C-alpha cells in the first residue's frame, strides 16, 4: 500500500513539473479581449405618409343631425383625397363615436349637455409629393382636426439591416484602432452582444420651394414636404487580440 501511494505521489510531482516547464500548459490562457460599441446612422426621405384626422359635430338635442354633418364633411374629405390620387383602399375609418359632452360655465355655474358625434379617418399617401396638397384639401373640406402625421419607409427591414451593418463595420474599426495603440492586432470575434436598431420617424417638415408665377399681388405660400427620417443602430462586440 505504501509503495502504491509513493508511486502516485511521484507521478503527480512529475506531472506538475512537466506542466511548469512545457511550452504548452495544460490550461490554455484566457484570451485577451477588447470590447467596443459600434453605431450606425443614416437618414432617408420617407416614401409613405399616414394622415390621421377626424370630423366631429355637436348638437344640443339630436345626435342624428350631428351625424349627418359628420357624414357630409367626412365624405367630402374622402372625395378630395381620391381626386388627388389617393386610392380608396388606402382610406379607412374607425367606427362612429357618439357621446354626450357636458360643458361647464364658470360664470354662472350652469352645465350644458350636448350630443357629440365623431369619425376618425386614416389616409395613406404613397406619393409624399402630395403631402402639402393633401393637407390643403382636408382643411378646405372642413375637417375638425388633423391628429397625427406619421412618415414611413416601405423598405424598413432592408434599411435596418444596412444600419446594423454600418454599426458592425464601425465596431471593427474601433477595435482595430484600439489594438494598434497597444502594438497588437485583432484576431477574431469573441462575442457579439446586444443589438439595438431604432427608427426616428417623428414628423418634420422642410421648405421645398415657393414658385411665383405671373404678376401675383402676394408671394405664394411655401410648399412644405416631409423631411428625412433617421434610422440608427448599435451593436456591442468583443474581439480577441493576438
Amino acid at each position: 500500500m505504501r509503495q502504491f501511494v509513493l508511486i502516485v505521489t511521484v507521478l503527480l510531482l512529475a506531472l506538475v513539473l512537466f506542466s511548469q516547464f512545457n511550452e504548452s500548459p495544460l490550461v490554455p490562457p484566457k484570451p485577451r479581449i477588447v470590447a467596443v460599441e459600434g453605431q450606425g446612422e443614416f437618414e432617408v426621405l420617407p416614401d409613405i405618409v399616414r394622415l390621421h384626422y377626424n370630423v366631429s359635430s355637436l348638437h344640443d338635442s339630436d345626435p342624428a343631425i350631428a351625424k349627418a354633418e359628420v357624414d357630409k364633411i367626412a365624405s367630402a374629405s374622402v372625395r378630395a383625397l381620391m381626386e388627388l390620387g389617393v386610392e380608396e383602399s388606402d382610406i379607412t375609418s374607425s367606427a362612429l363615436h357618439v357621446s354626450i359632452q357636458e360643458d361647464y360655465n364658470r360664470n354662472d355655474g350652469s352645465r350644458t349637455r350636448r350630443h357629440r358625434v365623431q369619425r376618425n379617418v386614416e389616409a395613406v399617401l404613397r406619393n409624399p409629393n402630395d403631402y402639402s396638397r393633401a393637407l390643403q384639401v382636408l382643411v378646405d373640406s372642413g375637417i375638425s382636426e388633423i391628429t397625427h402625421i406619421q412618415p414611413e419607409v416601405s423598405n424598413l427591414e432592408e434599411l435596418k439591416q444596412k444600419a446594423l451593418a454600418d454599426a458592425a463595420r464601425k465596431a471593427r474599426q474601433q477595435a482595430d484602432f484600439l489594438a494598434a495603440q497597444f502594438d497588437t492586432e485583432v484576431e477574431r470575434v469573441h462575442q457579439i452582444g446586444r443589438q439595438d436598431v431604432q427608427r426616428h420617424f417623428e414628423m418634420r417638415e422642410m421648405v421645398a420651394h415657393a414658385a411665383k408665377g405671373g404678376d401675383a399681388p402676394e408671394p405664394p405660400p411655401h410648399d412644405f414636404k416631409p423631411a428625412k427620417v433617421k434610422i440608427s443602430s448599435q451593436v456591442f462586440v468583443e474581439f480577441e487580440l493576438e
Side-chain angles (χ1 to χ4, degrees):
M1 182 65 180
R2 291 181 179 179
Q3 185 177 5
F4 175 76
V5 173
L6 180 61
I7 293 174
V8 171
T9 303
V10 171
L11 289 175
L12 289 175
L13 288 174
L15 185 61
V16 171
L17 291 174
F18 177 79
S19 64
Q20 289 180 348
F21 292 101
N22 193 350
E23 294 181 356
S24 300
L26 296 179
V27 180
K30 293 183 178 180
R32 297 186 301 163
I33 301 296
V34 57
V36 294
E37 173 189 350
Q39 295 185 345
E41 178 181 301
F42 60 94
E43 294 182 335
V44 294
L45 286 171
D47 57 1
I48 296 175
V49 178
R50 294 183 183 272
L51 301 178
H52 299 261
Y53 65 94
N54 66 56
V55 180
S56 62
S57 180
L58 293 169
H59 196 271
D60 293 338
S61 58
D62 192 349
I65 297 178
K67 178 182 179 300
E69 180 69 12
V70 167
D71 290 342
K72 176 183 176 182
I73 297 175
S75 297
S77 69
V78 170
R79 286 194 300 270
L81 289 173
M82 292 177 62
E83 290 175 0
L84 195 61
V86 180
E87 295 291 336
E88 185 177 4
S89 58
D90 285 332
I91 304 174
T92 56
S93 172
S94 64
L96 194 70
H97 183 65
V98 182
S99 62
I100 297 293
Q101 178 173 308
E102 188 173 274
D103 299 323
Y104 175 72
N105 190 324
R106 294 184 178 180
N107 295 326
D108 58 12
S110 62
R111 297 180 182 274
T112 303
R113 293 167 60 88
R114 293 185 292 175
H115 296 276
R116 179 183 180 87
V117 178
Q118 178 173 309
R119 183 181 295 279
N120 299 318
V121 183
E122 176 185 344
V124 180
L125 303 181
R126 302 193 183 276
N127 182 4
N129 292 328
D130 293 334
Y131 167 74
S132 185
R133 287 180 293 170
L135 296 184
Q136 188 62 53
V137 299
L138 289 177
V139 172
D140 293 342
S141 63
I143 68 166
S144 303
E145 182 182 16
I146 297 177
T147 56
H148 185 59
I149 301 175
Q150 179 66 44
E152 296 180 0
V153 289
S154 57
N155 59 336
L156 177 60
E157 291 304 317
E158 176 186 346
L159 295 175
K160 287 166 63 175
Q161 293 296 322
K162 289 179 62 177
L164 196 57
D166 187 45
R169 178 180 59 82
K170 291 179 178 177
R172 179 58 190 254
Q173 288 179 346
Q174 290 191 46
D176 288 336
F177 173 79
L178 290 174
Q181 307 311 304
F182 297 95
D183 298 324
T184 186
E185 293 183 357
V186 172
E187 184 174 8
R188 58 177 173 266
V189 174
H190 178 72
Q191 178 176 305
I192 300 176
R194 183 172 61 87
Q195 305 163 37
D196 183 23
V197 181
Q198 297 180 349
R199 58 179 187 175
H200 309 272
F201 283 8
E202 69 274 8
M203 186 60 197
R204 295 177 296 157
E205 292 182 336
M206 63 179 180
V207 177
H209 65 275
K212 183 177 180 180
D215 297 326
E218 296 182 2
H222 287 285
D223 182 18
F224 290 93
K225 293 185 177 182
K228 292 181 178 180
V229 296
K230 182 171 65 175
I231 300 174
S232 62
S233 66
Q234 291 178 308
V235 62
F236 300 87
V237 187
E238 292 182 355
F239 292 93
E240 293 184 16
L241 301 175
E242 291 184 348

